[in-house]
Amino acid sequence: MFSKVLVANRGEIAVRVMRACRDLGVRTVAVYSDADKHAGHVRYADEAYNIGPARAADSYLDHDAVLEAGREAGADAVHPGYGFLAENAAFARRVEESDLTWIGPSADAMQRLGEKTKARSLMQEADVPVVPGTTEPVDSADEVKAIAEEYGYPVAIKAEGGGGGRGLKVVHSADEVESQLETAQREGEAYFDNSSVYVEKYLEAPRHVEVQILADEHGNVRHLGERDCSLQRRHQKVIEEAPSPALDADLREQIGDAARRGVREAGYTNAGTVEFLVEDGEFYFMEVNTRIQVEHTATEVITGIDVVKWQLRVAAGEELDFDQDDVEFDGHAIEYRINAENAADDFAPATGTLETYDPPGGIGVRIDDAVRQADEIGGDYDSMIAKLIVSAGSREECLARSERALSEFEIEGLQTIIPFHRLMVTDETFRAGEHTTKYLDEELDRER
Ligand SMILES: Nc1ncc2cc(-c3cccc4ccccc34)c(N3CC[C@@H](N)C3)nc2n1
Ligand SMILES: [Ca+2]
């Protein structure tokens, strides 16, 4: 096991990783920008190194600055968290080539799965259903039209280097194809430095269901069940839950097995998430997230498995000490992202001072955060300041407990989306678990 780990991140996920380190008796190193000098993850770590100014590109995204801090601290390994450099294969490779261990999948596995068409053909090799479409990039309008002829409009043109909803163009008819194809290629070049695009049948109102995977370096691959992330706003997840209300036992087993086959085929190790779209009782592979995710907590709470601790142990060469049928799911968990945003003002980012910061507690309530009363919340980074994860024996009990926990959560001096969450847990479509990925965008627009 490592003796010292550098966490190349900030906020709640940095503290989350440091907690797993401490559980394992591993010393922790924080890195911080000038704006984060007094931040929670710096307070929590055993030692901390300044890596540059507030702008992420000059600090948390600066490969050399992070590696230099690792060297200075004499760290054995680097955990990237999520966001920032977490899915940057080039950085993972630099860490692999240094004398630090990368806590995550190999750079090669990241590369293989980061190119969406390669990921799709890999999944087909493993008999994992993919959304109908091409597994090679397309570069002519005719190829796009051919897919639409075969599967019907609308079709989705997606950037090879995209993901997370970026680089997705929905084409509703033949006369839109040329312009949308051109835009998708141009944006792919601009945003992902990759103009390749591919085409899929666009599923009108799917659920977004993802499977948590843990794979060690000895060929053991386990799935830890699924999470439903259908409640999204402009591709930003707002509430996630485990298990998905949209799956029955049979579909649950099929989707879990498919995720394991796909990850094994990809030679993937460490923690990862296989994302699927689910519609009319069918599931289709969408993409793999080669990192720990914000919402890993919902899985931890119902399985009792510490995913981050296993990331560290797997990276240190340990074997998973449980079989697939040892993984049990107990009850229901819902995670509410507490973002510093003003839901009444189209979720515009908010800044301010936490004059009051009084999180809820009690049975079935977990708070993952890195802030405390009187902290200043600026606009330099992602707006999520905390996660509230509520769990109970059933989804109904979890909703009731959520209302109680959300009513206890007191924040003053800063606008957050807590009022939005309080509304959501009383919404009858959400309570019935019948919301699709379209629900929020349409519902909010309709209300406005
Ligand atoms: N062929 C096909 N059909 C429907 C889709 C639906 C989604 C999707 C999934 C989840 C939320 C969405 C919100 C608005 C628009 C799309 C979505 C989707 N993506 C891609 C990235 C992921 N974060 C969202 N890909 C799709 N692809
Ligand atoms: Ca994704």
Side-chain angles (χ1 to χ4, degrees):
M1 179 41 68
F2 311 117
S3 57
K4 189 184 279 190
V5 167
L6 181 144
V7 181
N9 215 299
R10 62 178 302 284
E12 68 88 19
I13 191 61
V15 171
R16 170 73 190 88
V17 173
M18 291 176 190
R19 282 178 165 141
C21 291
R22 280 201 175 166
D23 281 355
L24 290 164
V26 173
R27 293 172 60 72
T28 56
V29 179
V31 289
Y32 65 93
S33 69
D34 298 345
D36 276 341
K37 194 166 173 44
H38 305 292
H41 71 289
V42 175
R43 295 196 294 261
Y44 193 90
D46 294 314
E47 53 190 285
Y49 293 78
N50 179 289
I51 48 171
R55 211 167 74 89
D58 302 323
S59 47
Y60 295 105
L61 291 172
D62 182 330
H63 299 197
D64 298 324
V66 172
L67 287 172
E68 182 45 40
R71 252 191 296 281
E72 221 174 301
D76 311 299
V78 177
H79 192 301
Y82 52 65
F84 295 133
L85 296 171
E87 294 190 288
N88 185 311
F91 181 66
R93 206 174 297 288
R94 280 200 59 185
V95 174
E96 284 172 347
E97 286 159 2
S98 79
D99 48 10
L100 295 162
T101 300
W102 171 255
I103 299 171
S106 68
D108 287 344
M110 216 185 269
Q111 196 105 42
R112 262 195 300 281
L113 292 166
E115 301 205 12
K116 305 294 181 229
T117 44
K118 283 207 180 63
R120 281 163 57 82
S121 36
L122 231 162
M123 291 299 154
Q124 281 185 321
E125 285 300 303
D127 295 327
V128 174
V130 299
V131 181
T134 65
T135 51
E136 292 298 323
V138 299
D139 42 25
S140 75
D142 289 349
E143 286 170 273
V144 179
K145 289 175 186 170
I147 295 291
E149 244 89 85
E150 192 175 349
Y151 299 107
Y153 285 99
V155 293
I157 300 177
K158 292 185 167 182
E160 163 96 319
R166 288 163 313 168
L168 181 139
K169 296 284 170 219
V170 185
V171 182
H172 291 278
S173 65
D175 53 24
E176 286 177 41
V177 171
E178 278 84 359
S179 62
Q180 291 271 49
L181 174 60
E182 224 175 84
T183 310
Q185 289 171 322
R186 191 167 10 88
E187 288 180 5
E189 187 56 44
Y191 304 143
F192 318 115
D193 196 20
N194 178 346
S195 64
S196 295
V197 297
Y198 60 102
V199 188
E200 291 178 352
K201 168 67 185 145
Y202 187 68
L203 306 182
E204 293 283 359
R207 306 273 309 216
H208 187 139
V209 175
E210 58 186 33
V211 178
Q212 180 66 59
I213 286 288
L214 263 177
D216 65 23
E217 293 166 1
H218 307 273
N220 300 308
V221 180
R222 306 285 179 264
H223 78 77
L224 304 185
E226 84 281 353
R227 296 184 289 262
D228 192 304
C229 308
S230 301
L231 207 80
Q232 301 190 17
R233 231 194 111 267
R234 299 197 191 144
H235 296 287
Q236 293 302 318
K237 296 167 181 171
V238 185
I239 296 177
E240 305 100 337
E241 61 183 298
S244 165
L247 302 190
D248 58 25
D250 177 47
L251 202 49
R252 173 161 296 116
E253 188 174 349
Q254 285 183 57
I255 208 168
D257 289 346
R260 289 176 78 194
R261 289 199 305 275
V263 158
R264 200 185 291 282
E265 181 77 24
Y268 189 89
T269 57
N270 212 277
T273 300
V274 186
E275 284 188 347
F276 295 93
L277 294 172
V278 176
E279 192 167 76
D280 302 334
E282 301 290 331
F283 65 94
Y284 309 92
F285 167 79
M286 191 165 52
E287 52 191 77
V288 178
N289 296 324
T290 60
R291 67 178 190 272
I292 190 74
Q293 289 192 261
V294 169
E295 62 269 24
H296 76 277
T297 55
T299 300
E300 293 190 320
V301 165
I302 67 166
T303 60
I305 293 171
D306 183 329
V307 179
V308 178
K309 206 173 179 185
W310 272 114
Q311 284 195 285
L312 294 159
R313 298 172 71 180
V314 161
E318 290 185 36
E319 277 200 59
L320 296 175
D321 63 5
F322 57 91
D323 292 326
Q324 185 59 55
D325 43 25
D326 294 329
V327 180
E328 290 176 353
F329 307 104
D330 177 19
H332 202 96
I334 304 177
E335 176 184 82
Y336 302 89
R337 297 190 185 201
I338 310 301
N339 298 339
E341 292 165 354
N342 182 353
D345 175 18
D346 207 17
F347 288 74
T351 58
T353 305
L354 290 172
E355 279 144 26
T356 304
Y357 181 72
D358 198 359
I363 184 167
V365 175
R366 167 175 164 178
I367 294 282
D368 278 22
D369 63 8
V371 293
R372 64 181 178 186
Q373 192 130 332
D375 274 0
E376 296 270 322
I377 305 297
D380 292 309
Y381 307 109
D382 179 78
S383 63
M384 191 177 76
I385 60 169
K387 294 169 348 193
L388 164 63
I389 304 97
V390 180
S391 54
S394 70
R395 189 170 191 270
E396 292 63 36
E397 288 166 293
C398 193
L399 286 164
R401 185 168 280 162
S402 299
E403 286 189 72
R404 189 261 304 164
L406 286 163
S407 69
E408 286 177 35
F409 208 150
E410 271 211 70
I411 293 183
E412 287 170 340
L414 175 78
Q415 286 271 7
T416 72
I417 62 169
I418 290 174
F420 164 83
H421 285 309
R422 288 175 179 156
L423 196 75
M424 230 32 239
V425 292
T426 63
D427 175 275
E428 78 277 3
T429 306
F430 177 73
R431 289 184 73 89
E434 287 161 2
H435 54 288
T436 71
T437 50
K438 295 271 168 140
Y439 185 63
L440 263 202
D441 290 339
E442 280 154 17
E443 176 73 10
L444 276 181
D445 294 349
R446 234 193 345 264
E447 257 160 26
R448 260 218 322 275

